Structures are given as C-alpha cells and as structure tokens.
C-alpha cells in the first residue's frame, strides 16, 4: 500500500539493494538525469562465500566497532557547529584530483557519477568525523577517494554501455543481436519509419562519443559501404582507460 511520508528538519539517508536486471529497466531516464541517480553511491556487491548457517560474528566482535561509533556520534552531537577543513597535504591532493572528479562524462554512467567531487568531499568529512576531528587529513581524503573509485567502477559495470536514451540503447542492442554491425539503412528500419533521421543520427553520435560504436567503411567498387560496428566491452574499457590516461597527462602538463 502506498503511503506518503513527510520529513521536516532532518537529513534522510537511504540504503537499498536491487539486482542489475531490475535496475536497468526501472531507472527511468528522467531519474537518471534529474539529480537522483548521482546522489547515490552505486556499489556492485557479490557474496564472497557460501554460509548456509550464517556468519560467526559475536557481540564481542562487534563491541569495539560499536564503541568507536558511539564515541564519534557523541563528539558530533555535542559539538554545536562543526566546520570541516583540509590540512595542507589533503588540500594538495584535493586540488590534484578535482579536475578529474568534476569532468563531465557521457552516457548513463556519466549521469550517475556526475557529482563525484561532492560525494568525495562528504566521504572525507565522514572519515574525519569518525576520528572526532574537524580537520580532514590526507588519510581521510585517500579513504574517500578509494571508496569513490570502487563506486565508479561499480557504476561502469551497471551503466557503462547504457546511454539513458531509449533510441540509442535500442540501436546498440540491435547491433549486438545482429552480430556486431548494421548499416544505416538497417538501423533506420528498426523503427519502421516512425523515427526521424536526425533523432537516429543524434543517437548514433551519442553511442560513438560513449565509445560503444565505431564506423567501418568497406570498398564496394563504387560508393563505400558504411556500417556501424559495436565495440566490445573489454575494448570499450581499454579505450576509456586510455582516454583517462590522456586526460591525466594533459592535466599534468
């Protein structure tokens, strides 16, 4: 039963889980681009072993963790106002990594990770708070960046080949189903004459920018035959890694 809830004067956090099969069709394109998806830290999780009778953690195992958490909560709740600031070493690292964190990337993965700098900032402040200090030191920022790296890699697994554009995703799926390549005529036929050519061209440009498609020309004795070819996921990732290395090189220069 649906029930409206209202929260006033509070901060809301959400911890949820979903399968990849459920996520992709249910994450509406509006939610992907309206600031909902990029407020989540996406984490790909798999079980590491089979435990039919559950784990073996006892209250004694959890007590030290609970004590440390209670200490941090007491510090945070008894301090009237906490202004977090980075020390010099953390500040240097933050300025080095900020251009990469704030860079816009295409596709659904880019939409879901477009608040990277804000997420890392909050994570680093949380780690400082767990140490009961308003000073964000180098280990706090390094830990935040490590968490973000994992979340970004998870988002790549979840969304890396999705664009959030139903037309572009339909084209990519059809090309994959056809063995990896389709001509422009075949792509247009996918939509049975109900899609404007300009809209299809824009979707193809999106897929090329994302690194999911390439263009292949073949000589025919007359006008060359052009086909749109799918780029394998592993090659797609290599291209993305290479692009990231080039970006870092330019930033260093």
């Amino acid at each position: 039963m649906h029930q409206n809830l209202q929260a006033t004067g509070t901060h809301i956090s959400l911890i949820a889980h979903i399968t990849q099969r459920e996520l992709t069709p249910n994450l509406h394109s509006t939610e992907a681009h309206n600031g909902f998806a990029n407020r989540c830290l996406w984490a790909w999780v798999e079980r590491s072993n089979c435990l039919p009778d559950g784990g073996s953690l006892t209250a004694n195992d959890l007590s030290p963790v609970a004590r440390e958490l209670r200490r941090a909560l007491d510090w945070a709740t008894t301090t009237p106002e906490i202004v977090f600031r980075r020390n010099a070493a953390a500040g240097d690292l933050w300025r080095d990594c900020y251009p990469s964190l704030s860079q816009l990337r295409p596709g659904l993965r880019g939409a879901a990770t477009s608040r990277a700098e804000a997420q890392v900032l909050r994570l680093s402040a949380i780690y400082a708070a767990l140490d009961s200090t308003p000073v964000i030191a180098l280990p706090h920022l390094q830990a935040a960046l490590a968490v973000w790296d994992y979340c970004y890699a998870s988002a790549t697994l979840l969304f890396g080949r999705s664009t959030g554009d139903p037309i572009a995703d339909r084209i990519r799926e059809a090309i994959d189903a056809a063995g990896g390549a389709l001509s422009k005529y075949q792509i247009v036929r996918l939509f049975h004459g109900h899609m404007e050519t300009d809209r299809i061209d824009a979707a193809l440009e999106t897929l090329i920018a994302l690194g999911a498609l390439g263009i292949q020309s073949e000589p025919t004795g007359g006008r060359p035959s052009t086909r749109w070819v799918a780029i394998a996921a592993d090659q797609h990732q290599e291209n993305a890694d290479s692009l990231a290395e080039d970006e870092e090189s330019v930033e260093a220069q």
Side-chain angles (χ1 to χ4, degrees), residues 211-231:
L213 288 188
I215 300 176
Q216 183 182 78
S217 295
E218 297 179 352
T220 62
R223 186 176 179 179
S225 173
T226 301
R227 299 194 306 167
W228 274 257
V229 181
I231 296 176

Side-chain angles (χ1 to χ4, degrees), residues 103-239:
Q103 182 181 17
L104 294 177
R105 291 177 169 82
L108 190 53
R109 176 188 61 175
T113 60
S114 61
R115 292 176 61 85
E117 66 275 31
Q119 298 284 21
V120 171
L121 186 152
R122 294 188 183 99
L123 287 168
S124 65
I126 289 171
Y127 282 120
L130 289 172
D131 279 342
S132 302
T133 174
V135 179
I136 299 174
L138 188 60
H140 302 137
L141 181 54
Q142 288 172 328
L145 288 167
V147 171
W148 177 252
D149 286 345
Y150 185 86
C151 292
Y152 185 81
S154 297
T156 299
L157 287 172
L158 291 167
F159 310 117
R161 291 177 63 81
S162 297
T163 67
D165 177 354
I167 306 305
D169 288 340
R170 173 72 181 93
I171 292 171
R172 180 182 57 79
E173 291 169 0
I175 290 176
D176 289 341
L182 285 177
S183 68
K184 179 64 174 295
Y185 174 75
Q186 291 171 316
I187 292 172
V188 171
R189 287 288 301 273
L190 291 172
F191 302 98
H192 308 289
H194 299 302
M195 188 61 57
E196 295 180 358
T197 302
D198 290 347
R199 182 69 180 84
I200 294 174
D201 289 341
L204 289 170
E205 290 176 5
T206 297
L207 290 166
I208 290 172
L210 189 61
L213 288 188
I215 300 176
Q216 183 182 78
S217 295
E218 297 179 352
T220 62
R223 186 176 179 179
S225 173
T226 301
R227 299 194 306 167
W228 274 257
V229 181
I231 296 176
D234 54 352
Q235 182 62 45
H236 177 204
Q237 187 58 47
E238 289 178 9
N239 293 344

